Amino acid sequence: MNVNQSAPPVPPFGQPQPVYPGYHQSSYGGQPGPTVPPVAYGAYNGPVSGYQQTPPQGMSRAPPSSGVPPASTAQAASAQTAYTQFGQGDVQNGPSSSVQMQRLPGSQPFGSPLAPAVSQPAVLPSYGPPPTSAQVTAQLAGMQISGAVAPAPPPSGLGYGPPTSLASASGSFPNSGLYGSYPQGQAPPLGQTQGHPGVHPPQRSALPLASSFTPPASGGPRMPSVTGPPLPGQGFGGPPVSQPNHVSSPPPQALPPGAQMTGPPGPPPPMQSPPQPGYPLQQNGSFGPARGSQPSYGSPYPGAPTFGSQPGPPQPLPPKRLDPDAIPSPIQVIEDDRNNRGSEPFVTGVRGQVPPLVTTNFLVKDQGNASPRYIRCTSYNIPCTSDMAKQAQVPLAAVIKPLARLPPEEASPYVVDHGESGPLRCNRCKAYMCPFMQFVEGGRRFQCCFCSCVNDVPPHYFQHLDHTGKRVDAYDRPELSLGSYEFLATVDYCKNNKFPSPPAFIFMIDVSYNAIRTGLVRLLCEELKSLLDFLPREGGAEESAVRVGFVTYNKVLHFYNVKSSLAQPQMMVVSDVADVFVPLLDGFLVNVSESRAVITSLLDQIPEMFADTRETETVFAPVIQAGMEALKAAECAGKLFLFHTSLPIAEAPGKLKNRDDRKLINTDKEKTLFQPQTGTYQTLAKECVAQGCCVDLFLFPNQYVDVATLSVVPQLTGGSVYKYACFQVENDQERFLRDLRRDVQKIVGFDAVMRVRTSTGIRAVDFFGAFYMSNTTDVELAGLDEDKTVTVEFKHDDRLNEESGALLQCALLYTSCAGQRRLRIHNLALNCCTQLADLYRNCETDTLINYMAKFAYRGVLSSPVKTVRDALITQCAQILACYRKNCASPSSAGQLILPECMKLLPVYLNCVLKSDVLQPGAEVTTDDRAYVRQLVTTMDVAETNVFFYPRLLPLTKSPIESTAEPPAVRASEERLSNGDIYLLENGLNLFLWVGASVQQGVVQSLFSVASFSQITSGLSVLPVLDNPLSKKVRGLIDSLRAQRSRYMKLIVVKQEDKLEMLFKHFLVEDKSLNGGASYVDFLCHMHKEIRQLLS
């Protein structure tokens, strides 16, 4: 991820921004009114212009300004360059206008948060007849996010807002319509256009930690947001004209027929222009050739607008649609964090600091707290009491990745060797020595920071204290100065009080008909010949200490003796699968370099031996049992790599039946689809954990294989599951081999136990991840690799103290790849607060979503999916309602107010709710859901972030010579231009979407074909061409793959192609085909839920 991006996708909030030419910008909130009571008009950190991402080349961005421009400079302000996002040839969900764009002179007052706005009377045209006595006030799509308050857009359906009869101070007319367009889906009423006297309400500023805006009434009852007498000029009149859901084309200069302008010229309303060449207007935010009327998908929430139906006769109150640019943008938040926090290293010396976002590339300097690469928390300031925590409903959790891989510029944890005495610990609570321990009595004793017990310092560890009470050797000892470090464990920390042997890897290969027929066995054996040279090794070791063994199986098991003294490998068959035993000890697990010739010979022979097999049935549990028994016989821990193709239906323990039943979806029995169908595998997993036998499963199914049951052992032993449905060597070998290489080479700890200790007042109560627990405190992991996380939830058991804060210590005892027993320690100090505002100011939404997704994904095992979804929505509403009630400044109920650091909670939560596990589409299989469910359980925060909200990168907007990653755009179809090419990635999938109007030169440079129609849809490899664009795109794809723990297979998708449905599934801000709400609709729904809680 490169931080030095060419241009942020949307201008930073809090500064004036260019608007659409041809529209005036409203000066709402700029003028204090003489008689009208104040109304809250929210602004979202300054006005955001409509649909604007990166400026086209050669156009300048409006200079930032702060505060209120004096009247004399208003004209200068109006001369700021305006631009739109789309260059020539781009069509954005509707026809582009060929009419020249005009910009009327105007001044834009910006109020600083607390300064009164400069009084600037102005004349504004209003669309609609003079106000009648029956005046209606409507909700505003304004926004408030801490800090600067900016003009809000006009109320939907009110024409263009209240004009005044006084002349403008600057002699020019202020612009009206902040977002450069009427509210989505609605045009102003047609009629006489004339000015009416009116006043502007004064501005209002919000608490500097909230963001608020008023959604339209589509999600709930229509509530007026203006209290007191309505403003003159705010009346409805004339039949409304429906407007297509697009904002990219400026309106034509000419007035619509029949409309007259009296008074100063103002912005004309969009007219119903005749159809233009290209794409016809469509109501549902999609584009492309006319598709006829589209089915009207049922609305997920009562009252939510249903898109897809054709516009009918004019309604008196048209449904209002929130401007997507007026609601918090994940892209903007990510970009701002990169710009603000990407350049400075994150120094961990201060307690309770919130780290930069996971999407920001930053360097960490460990000065006493563990790096956020190891531990991230949902909040870095936790409530002092359980009552306060219950009130806020913010889960207190930490996502811990104990063996996380660090970037090369950061040092791995130091290894501390205390000799035979072992690491120093508290006598009472057994916490390990760390920087927070307090030395007393001249250094002869120390007070434990977790339980306050005072312990003696052993003579060999004694050191004098300096004048501040710190040991003089504190900076020479990692455990006294760093947040993360390792201790070499003594024999007391080992099983049976003897040091462990180095671990072993056993490759267990399915040689049934399916595996042979697809070419899988031949491919795998060929790869293993070279891969065995890259087994994990410690530090500077010349070769790996890991030993290897080989088993093949179908209905029976074949063990191989590959002892170095043999000329040829020997095969031993175990046909009694009901009671598996290991037929040989000597020669089964060997050192690769010693037995190289015999292993190569075996790998050459396996594909030939089974080439003519007709055996289609397989066993599964006995294979794991055999591997585990082999490790037990060799007295070592290790890992089984299982390559399996089909449902194990052969007569044996763990035999399964096909129980796939889509009719159970959305019923109370749906949970059974996620549960294992037999208890055999839990029992087996328990035995594996006791032996330190971790299982990694590679699945190659052509049909249902019951992933929910087969993944039980990998899940409980700390292993991984990889799934390659309908595997074909030519299409999938690259993905499989890359995953296999990384899986074999990555750093793993074996036979591990993890415990999380906390200071008095909170304790760890719940754990999520791939592990086994035989008691309530110890997380047991047969294996733990660098990609796995364990998520821990904390609850209060006493009152916390603001001064002393709260401490966490994660201790992981494990055997390294070289067979060394080690303890890895991570420490983190958090702040404690008595004010809810401090809690909400120090939360991390990405971590919160990681926890909530895991909590929900575990919930589907025991509750109906609908119950799980409702619980998520309720919890999110409670979190935001508590903030609104206790932390936000008073404002109209029509406003939705979000905490600054949680403003993305609704959009991300909606992505979790729409995910395949909680809301499957018709094309999602039961196995896919079970696979994703167990995958998310061990994901870290960066992985869940991109998994639930994919990255969408436009490829032709940024300069070809730029090596930086192009700025992302929001994951919505409205952001796609059919003249561009986009990459979309979510950590598992990678799509290259090609617009139908892409220039021929671009098609030629990337695909080496003459036109769009000749591109092969579903292509998975780009041709290697010697031109700058091809090199840039392939380089970008490589860099995206390098950032992820699993290899993402590329799929090329052409606009309007059948594969496009799959691609659109990942445009998570849009309504999904299976009933998932769009971001806009969900925000309205959340607002309704919050208001219900508050009332």
Side-chain angles (χ1 to χ4, degrees), residues 145-214:
I145 284 207
S146 74
V149 173
S156 307
L158 297 188
Y160 256 33
T164 78
S165 57
L166 297 156
S168 153
S170 64
S172 60
F173 301 107
N175 303 328
S176 67
L178 176 60
Y179 296 107
S181 162
Y182 292 94
Q184 299 267 352
Q186 181 211 329
L190 287 179
Q192 297 293 326
T193 321
Q194 52 194 99
H196 293 288
V199 282
H200 285 268
Q203 253 184 2
R204 127 173 241 131
S205 63
L207 192 73
L209 91 154
S211 60
S212 73
F213 59 95
T214 314

Side-chain angles (χ1 to χ4, degrees), residues 772 792 907 945:
Y772 176 76
V792 187
V907 62
N945 173 273

Side-chain angles (χ1 to χ4, degrees), residues 719-977:
S720 308
V721 179
Y722 297 84
K723 181 166 161 284
Y724 310 89
C726 302
F727 180 80
Q728 291 176 305
V729 169
E730 58 279 9
N731 291 338
D732 303 297
Q733 70 166 22
E734 186 65 11
R735 180 173 154 229
F736 163 54
L737 295 179
R738 295 278 195 100
D739 283 344
L740 176 62
R741 284 168 201 158
R742 192 173 188 280
D743 197 58
V744 167
Q745 294 173 39
K746 65 187 173 189
I747 299 299
V748 188
F750 292 98
D751 215 354
V753 181
M754 183 178 116
R755 182 177 277 197
V756 178
R757 292 181 174 82
T758 53
S759 53
T760 314
I762 55 169
R763 62 195 168 89
V765 292
D766 208 352
F767 300 84
F768 304 82
F771 51 75
Y772 176 76
M773 291 185 82
S774 54
N775 57 37
T776 55
T777 52
D778 294 334
V779 175
E780 297 171 50
L781 302 123
L784 175 69
D785 64 50
E786 60 191 30
D787 298 324
K788 296 284 186 302
T789 64
V790 176
T791 302
V792 187
E793 187 186 3
F794 304 98
K795 287 257 162 68
H796 287 74
D797 56 7
D798 204 348
R799 193 183 169 84
L800 291 167
N801 183 330
E802 267 189 293
E803 278 175 42
S804 53
L807 302 176
L808 318 177
Q809 183 178 78
C810 162
L812 176 78
L813 173 66
Y814 70 100
T815 302
S816 74
C817 292
Q820 203 175 47
R821 203 71 176 145
R822 291 184 177 183
L823 279 154
R824 180 169 288 202
I825 312 294
H826 298 297
N827 302 287
L828 185 63
L830 302 172
N831 286 329
C832 296
C833 59
T834 51
Q835 299 296 319
L836 281 166
D838 291 329
L839 164 70
Y840 283 102
R841 207 178 269 119
N842 292 281
C843 285
E844 219 216 5
T845 301
D846 292 325
T847 312
L848 204 53
I849 286 293
N850 179 286
Y851 165 83
M852 290 170 98
K854 289 173 180 175
F855 186 81
Y857 279 19
R858 186 178 68 184
V860 298
L861 290 172
S862 51
S863 307
V865 172
K866 185 182 184 308
T867 311
V868 173
R869 291 167 48 81
D870 292 345
L872 275 181
I873 293 172
T874 305
Q875 183 173 19
C876 180
Q878 283 172 330
I879 291 171
L880 298 175
C882 173
Y883 174 79
R884 171 71 188 258
K885 186 176 170 187
N886 299 289
C887 308
S889 52
S891 59
S892 125
Q895 276 184 315
L896 171 55
I897 299 186
L898 301 170
E900 172 64 28
C901 67
M902 280 191 195
K903 63 190 180 194
L904 298 181
L905 188 60
V907 62
Y908 286 163
L909 183 73
N910 190 32
C911 296
V912 174
L913 293 170
K914 286 159 69 168
S915 63
D916 290 340
V917 173
L918 298 182
Q919 195 162 27
E923 73 294 339
V924 181
T925 66
T926 308
D927 275 347
D928 286 335
R929 295 178 74 194
Y931 175 61
V932 168
R933 195 196 74 76
Q934 60 85 31
L935 209 55
V936 168
T937 316
T938 58
M939 279 186 180
D940 69 11
V941 180
E943 287 170 324
T944 49
N945 173 273
V946 77
F947 178 74
F948 289 115
Y949 191 94
R951 278 202 296 177
L952 183 61
L953 307 172
L955 298 185
T956 59
K957 289 275 190 273
S958 55
I960 270 197
E961 60 281 356
S962 158
T963 52
E965 213 171 82
V969 295
R970 291 167 70 164
S972 166
E973 194 176 346
E974 295 182 336
R975 308 288 159 167
L976 297 176
S977 145

Side-chain angles (χ1 to χ4, degrees), residues 533-668:
D533 290 329
F534 298 98
L535 297 174
R537 63 193 78 185
E538 282 296 298
E542 289 207 3
E543 61 178 54
S544 174
V546 176
R547 292 168 298 161
V548 298
F550 301 90
V551 172
T552 57
Y553 67 93
N554 38 45
K555 254 165 66 168
V556 296
L557 281 74
H558 322 106
F559 287 76
Y560 296 93
N561 184 344
V562 282
K563 200 172 175 181
S564 55
S565 55
L566 295 173
Q568 281 295 323
Q570 291 172 349
M571 173 180 177
M572 297 183 185
V573 180
V574 176
S575 53
D576 181 6
V577 288
D579 183 20
V580 177
F581 67 97
V582 181
L584 76 162
L585 288 180
D586 190 28
F588 178 62
L589 294 178
V590 296
N591 180 296
V592 174
S593 55
E594 289 171 13
S595 297
R596 162 72 62 195
V598 194
I599 290 173
T600 305
S601 170
L602 171 66
L603 293 171
D604 282 337
Q605 287 176 41
I606 288 175
E608 305 309 326
M609 263 191 292
F610 298 98
D612 301 323
T613 185
R614 284 286 168 267
E615 185 53 76
T616 54
E617 293 188 357
T618 55
V619 294
F620 188 72
V623 184
I624 297 174
Q625 181 84 34
M628 190 249 311
E629 297 288 352
L631 293 175
K632 191 184 273 183
E635 295 186 341
C636 68
K639 184 180 269 200
L640 312 182
F641 294 84
L642 248 84
F643 304 90
H644 190 80
T645 60
S646 57
L647 193 68
I649 55 170
E651 235 9 274
K655 173 187 175 180
L656 301 179
K657 59 179 193 291
N658 187 335
R659 52 157 188 170
D660 190 15
D661 187 359
R662 294 195 61 83
K663 290 198 287 295
L664 296 181
I665 292 176
N666 295 327
T667 69
D668 284 356

Side-chain angles (χ1 to χ4, degrees), residues 401-432:
K401 197 175 182 182
L403 297 179
R405 181 197 292 253
L406 299 182
E409 22 330 335
E410 292 176 25
S412 295
Y414 287 96
V415 181
V416 180
D417 186 358
H418 281 317
E420 286 184 15
S421 60
L424 191 57
R425 305 174 71 174
C426 167
N427 290 331
R428 185 198 290 163
C429 72
K430 301 296 181 214
Y432 294 87

Side-chain angles (χ1 to χ4, degrees), residues 346-386:
F346 178 69
V347 181
T348 72
V350 183
R351 182 177 86 189
Q353 281 186 104
V354 182
L357 298 181
V358 283
T359 41
T360 298
N361 216 345
F362 61 99
L363 208 64
V364 180
K365 288 194 173 160
D366 185 342
Q367 290 191 359
N369 281 295
S371 159
R373 302 190 206 290
Y374 294 123
I375 306 183
R376 276 186 179 264
C377 294
T378 52
S379 179
Y380 287 80
N381 202 331
I382 54 184
C384 281
T385 64
S386 59

Side-chain angles (χ1 to χ4, degrees), residues 480-538:
L480 298 181
S481 56
L482 298 175
S484 301
Y485 42 88
E486 289 199 322
F487 292 119
L488 281 188
T490 58
V491 76
D492 307 335
Y493 291 88
C494 302
K495 257 188 200 162
N496 308 327
N497 277 6
K498 64 180 209 189
F499 283 113
S501 313
F505 284 180
I506 304 178
F507 296 92
M508 315 188 88
I509 307 166
D510 176 349
V511 289
S512 65
Y513 174 72
N514 273 336
I516 297 291
R517 181 184 58 81
T518 54
L520 168 65
V521 175
R522 191 173 295 279
L523 176 72
L524 175 57
C525 290
E526 209 45 56
E527 175 64 23
L528 285 177
K529 289 183 204 169
S530 53
L531 187 55
L532 294 176
D533 290 329
F534 298 98
L535 297 174
R537 63 193 78 185
E538 282 296 298

